[in-house]
Amino acid sequence: MNPQTFKGYKAKVTVYADRLEIKRGLSARISGPKDAVVLFADLVRPLSKPATPWINGYVYLATDSDPAHLSYWEDPPKTKIGGNPQATLFTWFQRAAQADFMSALDVAWRAANPDTCGRVPLA
């Protein structure tokens, strides 16, 4: 599988055969979360919400050690959508990229872990 890259809000997500890499621009790293790598073997479940004209959408790559849910307004920053390094925001104008990313993620995740996809539901 060739790597596929998708542009989110101040971040680029690349889907590889065994992992996902989130790279953020300098302005995003200064004011928020850092870059992240999530192995498909560690991924419990991707959570997503589509963008609306008023609120950005997101894709959250949850592992066993992460909070089960994120919020737009909660503290600490790891439980905030905009502060979690494993969450990528998508604007209203990037909703097609978010849908394409979710499709590519689903295909790659199932190919990497055919027996264990979705193995542990988050509480």
Side-chain angles (χ1 to χ4, degrees):
M1 174 183 164
N2 292 331
Q4 295 176 290
T5 300
F6 302 91
K7 177 80 170 91
Y9 179 68
K10 294 187 177 183
K12 289 182 182 176
V13 183
T14 304
V15 179
Y16 294 94
D18 62 337
R19 70 189 183 284
L20 296 150
E21 289 185 0
I22 301 172
K23 300 281 186 183
R24 301 184 195 283
L26 179 61
S27 65
R29 285 192 313 250
I30 290 172
S31 63
K34 309 299 182 222
D35 295 344
V37 175
V38 178
L39 300 175
F40 285 129
D42 297 337
L43 184 63
V44 173
R45 167 173 100 189
L47 303 171
S48 70
K49 182 174 181 175
T52 70
W54 301 278
I55 297 176
N56 288 338
Y58 65 87
V59 175
Y60 170 47
L61 307 169
T63 64
D64 286 331
S65 62
D66 293 322
H69 302 283
L70 298 180
S71 170
Y72 286 101
W73 298 281
E74 284 191 30
D75 276 331
K78 187 168 180 157
T79 61
K80 267 185 175 171
I81 291 165
N84 191 294
Q86 292 168 204
T88 303
L89 296 172
F90 291 87
T91 67
W92 173 251
F93 300 104
Q94 295 170 324
R95 62 190 184 277
Q98 181 181 4
D100 293 344
F101 168 56
M102 287 300 295
S103 295
L105 167 60
D106 185 56
V107 169
W109 185 32
R110 290 180 191 281
N113 299 310
D115 299 329
T116 59
C117 271
R119 68 196 186 310
V120 179
L122 292 175

